[in-house]
């Protein structure tokens, strides 16, 4: 078993089997001292502050100047590589972009769910969540038929394949839309019955629940992104202050998408309660 690392040993004794010369990944700019008295003659000692097989990055001091390096231990062979600013920035950007993309998808899901809840006016989006058994495979109704609104209180479904009319009719009957389809062998027509006050309140509760589910999803995305930042801090890629700043930015992004959900909810609630 290899001897434990020493905070005062020269780096040559710590990484005794380094295959790549030190010069290939450390430059003069990494030292306060220049010339032969520095790394060229390999006479400088490194003070290792925290080096373990579980960490990806550690801090070493070269000629009294601390730098961040990466180490990989494979069969007791030490390899050292500087953690570049470009790599760290790329990881930060990736985490932020992924969080924003997921929050945007959450907004689209909330909007789609809201559109599937009927209001006083006919809207093709009301059928967005209807799935039809088409040749043994469940598909969305809008992918196999054209849906239109001849007037404010009716929907017209015209399938691209007339043989799917019965399957479409069955899917609409089994949905929770509360509409009765009229199949004339060519198209399906549906008239929207007037919503009662009680039914409007029920739909309003459903919308409120969907809005809260959207907010929970956004909070979970924020939590996952924050964990990713904390992981970078443990790997010594980010400082504690860096993580705090990034956490504040992440909270602002979260608040922004929370407001978007609230706005969609208020708009949908107004449509539901307007007679």
């Amino acid at each position: 078993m290899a001897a434990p690392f020493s905070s005062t040993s020269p780096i040559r004794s710590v990484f005794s089997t380094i295959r790549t010369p030190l010069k290939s990944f450390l430059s003069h700019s990494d030292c306060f001292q220049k010339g032969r008295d520095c790394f060229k003659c390999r006479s400088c000692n490194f003070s290792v502050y925290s080096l373990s097989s579980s960490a990806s990055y550690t801090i070493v001091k070269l000629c009294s100047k601390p730098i961040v390096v990466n180490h990989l231990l494979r069969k007791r062979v030490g390899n050292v590589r500087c953690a570049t600013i470009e790599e760290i920035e790329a990881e930060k950007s990736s985490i932020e972009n992924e969080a924003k993309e997921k929050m945007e998808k959450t907004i689209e899901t909330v909007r789609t769910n809201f559109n599937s809840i009927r209001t006083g006016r006919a809207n093709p989006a009301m059928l967005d969540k209807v799935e039809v058994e088409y040749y043994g495979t469940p598909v969305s109704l809008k992918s196999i038929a054209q849906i239109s609104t001849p007037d404010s209180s009716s929907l017209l479904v015209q399938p691209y394949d007339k043989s799917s009319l019965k399957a479409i009719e069955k899917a609409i009957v089994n949905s929770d839309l509360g509409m009765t389809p009229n199949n004339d062998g060519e198209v399906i027509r549906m008239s929207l019955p007037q919503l009662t006050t009680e039914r409007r309140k029920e739909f309003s509760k459903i919308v409120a629940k969907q809005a809260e589910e959207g907010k929970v999803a956004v909070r979970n995305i924020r939590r996952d992104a924050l964990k990713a930042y904390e992981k970078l801090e443990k790997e010594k890629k980010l400082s504690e202050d860096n993580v705090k700043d990034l956490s504040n930015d992440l909270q602002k992004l979260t608040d922004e998408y929370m407001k978007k959900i609230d706005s969609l909810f208020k708009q949908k609630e107004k449509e539901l309660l307007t007679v």
Side-chain angles (χ1 to χ4, degrees):
M1 184 172 181
F5 292 118
S6 169
S7 62
T8 58
S9 301
I11 195 167
R12 290 198 301 278
S13 65
V14 174
F15 298 103
S16 58
T17 56
I18 291 179
R19 296 174 180 175
T20 305
L22 188 62
K23 185 177 178 181
S24 65
F25 46 79
L26 292 178
S27 65
H28 285 285
S29 61
D30 292 322
C31 305
F32 283 137
Q33 299 179 29
K34 311 290 184 178
R36 296 184 58 82
D37 291 334
C38 192
F39 69 84
K40 281 188 176 181
C41 64
R42 312 285 174 84
S43 62
C44 296
N45 288 343
F46 287 71
S47 295
V48 180
Y49 293 114
S50 60
L51 185 57
S52 67
S53 60
S54 61
S56 296
Y57 286 78
T58 188
I59 303 296
V60 303
K61 182 179 291 186
L62 174 60
C63 301
S64 302
K65 179 181 178 182
I67 61 172
V68 181
V69 301
N70 182 25
H71 73 276
L72 299 171
L73 300 179
R74 296 193 186 117
K75 298 180 180 179
R76 299 178 183 175
V77 175
N79 296 301
V80 179
R81 182 179 64 81
C82 293
T84 67
I85 295 177
E86 290 79 6
E87 289 174 334
I88 296 173
E89 288 298 325
E91 290 193 63
K92 285 164 53 181
S93 179
S94 175
I95 294 169
E96 181 181 1
N97 291 338
E98 183 179 1
K100 190 171 184 178
E101 182 179 342
K102 287 182 177 179
M103 288 183 185
E104 196 62 43
K105 287 181 179 179
T106 299
I107 292 294
E108 289 304 313
T109 299
V110 171
R111 184 180 285 112
T112 299
N113 289 339
F114 284 178
N115 286 338
S116 68
I117 303 295
R118 57 166 296 200
T119 57
R121 293 181 61 84
N123 185 346
M126 295 168 60
L127 303 178
D128 279 355
K129 296 181 71 176
V130 175
E131 287 195 341
V132 182
E133 194 75 16
Y134 187 60
Y135 290 105
T137 303
V139 298
S140 64
L141 173 56
K142 63 181 180 180
S143 69
I144 61 172
Q146 181 180 350
I147 306 170
S148 58
T149 53
D151 53 61
S152 61
S153 61
S154 64
L155 289 168
L156 181 67
V157 179
Q158 186 171 8
Y160 303 126
D161 177 6
K162 291 182 181 179
S163 66
S164 64
L165 273 169
K166 288 192 176 295
I168 293 174
E169 182 180 8
K170 180 180 179 181
I172 294 173
V173 170
N174 292 336
S175 70
D176 59 355
L177 293 173
M179 293 185 287
T180 302
N182 179 19
N183 181 0
D184 65 4
E186 295 288 334
V187 296
I188 292 177
R189 292 182 173 84
M190 290 173 288
S191 295
L192 275 68
Q194 286 294 322
L195 287 175
T196 63
T197 301
E198 183 180 352
R199 190 63 171 157
R200 290 176 187 274
K201 289 181 179 179
E202 288 178 4
F203 281 146
S204 183
K205 289 180 181 178
I206 293 174
V207 170
K209 182 180 178 181
Q210 291 174 343
E212 184 56 35
E213 288 173 351
K215 289 183 177 181
V216 170
V218 169
R219 293 191 193 102
N220 288 341
I221 294 168
R222 174 190 175 277
R223 179 201 61 198
D224 293 343
L226 188 57
K227 285 183 178 179
Y229 286 140
E230 290 172 348
K231 182 175 181 289
L232 293 182
E233 181 185 3
K234 289 179 180 178
E235 293 174 349
K236 306 301 181 183
K237 293 182 181 181
L238 296 176
S239 68
E240 184 178 350
D241 289 339
N242 289 150
V243 173
K244 285 182 179 179
D245 291 340
L246 291 169
S247 298
N248 290 335
D249 292 341
L250 191 59
Q251 185 60 55
K252 291 177 183 178
L253 184 67
T254 302
D255 293 340
E256 177 185 338
Y257 279 89
M258 289 291 192
K259 289 179 181 178
K260 288 183 179 181
I261 293 176
D262 283 334
S263 178
L264 290 172
F265 169 65
K266 290 178 181 178
Q267 180 182 349
K268 188 64 178 182
E269 188 179 42
K270 182 179 179 180
E271 292 176 4
L272 283 170
L273 298 179
T274 300
V275 180

